[in-house]
Amino acid sequence: MEYKFEQVKIVGGIGADDEFWRGLERGEFCLPTCASCGTWMWPAHFRCGACGAWEMQWNAIEPRGTIFTWTRSWYAFDRVSERTADVPYVSAVVEIPHAGGARVMGIYEGTDEALRIGVDVVGHILPPSEKTKGYPSIVWRPASSGPVA
Amino acid sequence: MMSKLRGAAAVVGIGQTPYYKRGASPHPEIKLALQAIVGACEDAGIDPTDVDGFISYASERNDAQKLMSALGTKEVRFASLAWIHGGGIPGALSIAAMAVATGQANAVVVYRSMAESSTQRLRVMVAQGDTAAQYLVNGLESPAQILALRSQRMIEKHGVPRDTLKAMARATYYHARNNPRAYGRNTVLDDETYDNARLISEPYNLFDCSRENDGACAVLVVSAERARDLPRKPAYILSAPMGTLNGGGALEENIRPYSFAGQVGVATRMWAESGYGPKDVDVAQIYQNMTGMGVGSLIDHGFCTTENAGEFITFDNLIVPGGSLPVNTSGGDLAEGFIHGMGLVAEAVRQIRGDSVNQVPGAKLSLMTGGPGDTMSSTGLLGSEETL
């Protein structure tokens, strides 16, 4: 089945990141740079605030980074109630040094010991599911737990 | 640089409905708004038909065009909404001050009304439906979770002690015990109760998170000149800047700096515009959607640093009597109740008047900070006549 996140598109935020999700649907982790001056631009937007250009270039990069911050949710919040069975679960913000320090969110899967700011993590792309509201997603696992599957 | 608006306008009336349990208001939002506005007029000694300016913030939907016939409004001369969410509150006061200082309006109400039965409170009224997919796909939807990310880094990376969150919660609940209106007045928040509370989103537990209530609150703003002829002691608006520095905004956790309240820019401007600094403040109403963000606010405003936050932010230092900076003297968002933070303005004004249930003796400079961690924010300093 060819599944497209656009069919269940969430309205909210800036909304210039369609190519990020399309990339994940293809199995690629893509982040944008300004097509003119090369500045990393995340979250994606419609104009480069650094040089004024209007075109973005999407770059498939290695999904590697470090844990920037995290929280463990102990409550099944209303709008993410699809994850009720997973409570408590950990969401992380991961900093991508080779993408200008862009910070990308994801679920963390790993030991409590490795759940610390600064720990190296590797992203694994998951197909769309109910838990991810029909979007493809990325989970972050400690780099020490093994190579990318 | 002193602002032209410094002391040009004052709050002269307060109106508050009771705080109802979320979803339990006997009245729809618009009636609550009317009750609060009429209450502020009665408090100020101004006829409701003479109110000619209407200002709110975030996603308030009870706008002037819906209220005017019920108020008998003679003429609406100015109506506006401060963008942002809870970050916009002192900024709304600033808009009111500009309106009266420039003669666009003569008597301006700043108000907020919320009732679960009338609207989708958190999703639409607070979050304004603008939570990005990046959050929702990854199990993050609530301000409690999103701000938990900020506070986790403040604690783990910047070394601000976890106990500062507890101190903020305990001081707030302590003050609520004297406030008959406070929703949390019967809660004795001692160390044990706090430490044993269930976790919500780490590092936050139940007592780190603000309440949710139905209700409305309004304040009436007039020019300084007119304020002197009215019955209530005026609380002058010394400075209430809104905005954010480069690196802030709606950036889906890519804001820089990250871990605090995003209020360095507005705080710096407020001190410059008012001519006062952190050491001069007598009492502070700190918007606390979550305790950790209140800690971030105090750091951003220069009351303490990441290094000495643990020494400054203690229960004893935050309470009346005795603390060097009493905070949230009505019980605040955590323990009095939460009408999107608007109750903090009323309490900041009461401290200037001298009739708070937890009065700081002789308070002259009263701070009220807007929603911390918001995509933009604002902050405001109110003062008595001596501070002008």
Side-chain angles (χ1 to χ4, degrees):
Chain A
M1 178 187 95
E2 189 167 337
Y3 190 87
K4 297 288 184 195
F5 77 92
E6 282 99 328
Q7 292 161 3
V8 289
K9 194 163 173 181
I10 295 166
V11 176
I14 295 160
D17 58 358
D18 285 1
E19 290 300 327
F20 174 81
W21 304 111
R22 287 189 191 115
L24 291 185
E25 283 182 346
R26 291 192 306 271
E28 292 180 334
F29 180 66
C30 298
L31 292 177
T33 48
C34 168
S36 180
C37 74
T39 301
W40 289 95
M41 202 194 294
W42 189 250
H45 219 310
F46 296 99
R47 180 177 180 274
C48 173
C51 79
W54 296 87
E55 297 300 320
M56 275 183 280
Q57 175 183 310
W58 288 83
N59 313 280
I61 61 170
E62 280 280 296
R64 291 179 176 277
T66 60
I67 295 176
F68 182 78
T69 190
W70 59 274
T71 186
R72 185 184 283 112
S73 298
W74 289 85
Y75 179 82
F77 288 93
D78 176 34
R79 266 186 303 172
V80 289
S81 58
E82 301 90 345
R83 292 187 186 272
T84 300
D86 293 347
V87 170
Y89 59 87
V90 177
S91 306
V93 178
V94 170
E95 186 172 62
I96 316 294
H98 53 289
R103 301 171 197 153
V104 179
M105 289 174 240
I107 292 291
Y108 167 85
E109 285 179 359
T111 63
D112 287 357
E113 290 68 38
L115 181 58
R116 279 177 287 110
I117 289 170
V119 162
D120 291 330
V121 288
V122 176
H124 300 248
I125 295 169
L126 297 186
S129 71
E130 190 184 348
K131 285 180 187 177
T132 56
K133 297 185 176 291
Y135 276 56
S137 70
I138 192 154
V139 298
W140 299 102
R141 297 180 188 145
S144 58
S145 67
V148 178
Chain B
M1 185 188 71
M2 300 283 182
S3 156
K4 284 179 186 169
L5 284 175
R6 186 183 187 278
V11 177
V12 293
I14 299 169
Q16 270 177 298
T17 69
Y19 285 13
Y20 302 102
K21 187 177 170 66
R22 178 167 63 124
S25 167
H27 309 297
E29 255 176 30
I30 191 164
K31 187 172 177 186
L32 295 171
L34 289 166
Q35 289 174 337
I37 291 168
V38 170
C41 290
E42 286 170 352
D43 185 49
I46 284 179
D47 191 319
T49 64
D50 290 327
V51 172
D52 57 4
F54 296 81
I55 299 172
S56 188
Y57 56 94
S59 48
E60 178 66 44
R61 288 291 174 270
N62 304 290
D63 42 37
Q65 51 269 44
K66 291 181 194 142
L67 298 171
M68 61 183 293
S69 64
L71 291 170
T73 306
K74 290 170 187 156
E75 181 183 17
V76 176
R77 293 170 58 94
F78 188 87
S80 180
L81 187 70
W83 273 339
I84 343 179
H85 313 86
I89 307 173
L93 290 178
S94 208
I95 298 172
M98 285 185 238
V100 297
T102 56
Q104 293 300 299
N106 300 303
V108 179
V109 280
V110 176
Y111 61 99
R112 190 79 172 98
S113 179
M114 304 180 91
E116 178 78 11
S117 55
S118 305
T119 55
Q120 295 181 70
R121 180 189 173 82
L122 271 177
R123 188 175 302 184
V124 176
M125 290 300 284
V126 175
Q128 299 182 29
D130 63 6
T131 309
Q134 298 284 345
Y135 293 103
L136 294 168
V137 167
N138 295 303
L140 298 164
E141 72 106 334
S142 165
Q145 296 171 290
I146 294 166
L147 300 176
L149 294 166
R150 318 266 175 99
S151 293
Q152 180 60 34
R153 189 169 168 89
M154 181 179 78
I155 294 166
E156 187 179 333
K157 178 73 177 179
H158 298 279
V160 173
R162 175 70 183 75
D163 275 357
T164 56
L165 279 61
K166 176 158 65 176
M168 293 296 279
R170 284 197 55 218
T172 296
Y173 274 87
Y174 176 80
H175 289 142
R177 301 203 65 196
N178 286 338
N179 180 0
R181 192 179 50 246
Y183 235 80
R185 66 185 176 277
N186 295 323
T187 301
V188 178
L189 189 60
D190 53 18
D191 277 347
E192 192 186 356
T193 306
Y194 179 90
D195 293 341
N196 291 332
R198 67 186 168 91
L199 290 167
I200 299 295
S201 190
E202 289 178 55
Y204 299 143
N205 73 31
L206 184 66
F207 291 109
D208 291 307
C209 303
S210 63
R211 269 158 205 282
E212 288 296 323
N213 292 94
D214 291 354
C217 179
V219 296
L220 191 66
V221 176
V222 301
S223 70
E225 192 178 21
R226 188 169 179 199
R228 292 186 182 102
D229 297 330
L230 293 172
R232 293 293 197 168
K233 184 179 179 183
Y236 294 91
I237 299 166
L238 297 174
S239 171
M242 69 163 82
T244 184
L245 296 169
N246 180 270
L251 290 175
E252 299 170 16
E253 303 315 300
N254 282 264
I255 51 172
R256 294 171 173 82
Y258 180 78
S259 307
F260 307 102
Q263 294 174 327
V264 169
V266 289
T268 303
R269 280 162 58 204
M270 181 183 68
W271 300 133
E273 287 184 3
S274 68
Y276 291 107
K279 286 189 174 59
D280 304 314
V281 173
D282 296 306
V283 58
Q285 309 308 318
I286 304 293
Y287 189 117
Q288 284 195 121
N289 31 25
M290 311 295 151
T291 53
M293 302 312 295
V295 171
S297 247
L298 293 177
I299 293 171
D300 279 356
H301 280 76
F303 288 102
C304 58
T305 63
T306 54
E307 287 76 25
N308 69 7
E311 293 147 48
F312 184 82
I313 302 174
T314 64
F315 173 75
D316 289 338
N317 199 37
L318 301 177
I319 61 161
V320 181
S324 79
L325 186 71
V327 300
N328 298 332
T329 46
S330 66
D333 300 331
L334 303 182
E336 180 183 43
F338 184 74
I339 311 297
H340 214 173
M342 188 64 200
L344 300 174
V345 180
E347 177 64 9
V349 171
R350 283 191 291 263
Q351 286 288 352
I352 299 288
R353 292 180 177 182
D355 59 5
S356 166
V357 292
N358 290 292
Q359 182 62 40
V360 173
K364 295 181 182 65
L365 278 178
S366 183
L367 176 68
M368 190 258 149
T369 65
D374 201 348
T375 47
M376 288 204 324
S377 196
S378 61
T379 189
L381 191 63
L382 300 173
S384 64
E385 184 141 22
E386 305 96 294
T387 65
L388 293 175

